[in-house]
Amino acid sequence: MSEEPLELEPLDLPDPPDLPGRVCVEASAEEVMDALIAKLLEVAEAALEDHGRFDLAVSGDDRLQPLWRQMMMDPDLRGFPWEQTHLW
C-alpha cells in the first residue's frame, strides 16, 4: 500500500549567530587527529594555567578509539599533562 508523502510546512528558523572561529578541512583522518590532539594539548595547558587541572570527558564511541590510542602511545605526547588531567 503506497501513501502520498506528507506536505511539511517550512520552519521559521532564526538565522544562525555570527560565531567566532574558523573551519579547518584536513586532507586525511590522520591530519584531523593530529590537529585535534594539538588543539586538545593547547586547551589542556591553558586550563592548567587557569585552574591547575584539566577536565577531559572521554567518549566510549568506537570511532574515537584511534584518537585515544594515539594519545596514550605516541611518544610525542608523553608531555601531555596526564597527572593534572581528570578523565570523565
Side-chain angles (χ1 to χ4, degrees), residues 1 3 7-8 13 17-18 20 23 30 32-34 38 41 44 47 50 56 62 67 70 72-73 76 81 87:
M1 173 190 287
E3 295 182 19
E7 291 293 326
L8 300 177
L13 297 175
D18 185 23
V23 175
E30 290 81 19
V32 170
M33 280 203 318
D34 289 343
L41 182 57
D50 293 345
L56 176 61
D62 288 340
L67 174 70
Q70 181 174 343
M72 289 187 298
M73 300 177 77
D76 292 337
L87 293 176

Side-chain angles (χ1 to χ4, degrees), residues 19-87:
L19 299 174
R22 58 190 172 97
V23 175
C24 297
V25 179
E26 304 295 346
S28 68
E30 290 81 19
E31 289 181 17
V32 170
M33 280 203 318
D34 289 343
L36 180 59
I37 290 171
K39 187 63 174 179
L40 194 57
L41 182 57
E42 178 184 322
V43 170
E45 290 172 348
L48 289 175
E49 281 186 30
D50 293 345
H51 309 290
R53 78 180 216 180
F54 176 54
D55 291 287
L56 176 61
V58 178
S59 169
D61 190 321
D62 288 340
R63 294 172 291 186
L64 292 174
Q65 294 304 319
L67 174 70
W68 306 135
R69 190 175 309 111
Q70 181 174 343
M71 287 189 70
M72 289 187 298
M73 300 177 77
D74 189 335
D76 292 337
L77 290 170
R78 289 194 178 140
F80 194 87
W82 290 114
E83 297 82 21
Q84 295 90 10
T85 299
H86 187 137
L87 293 176

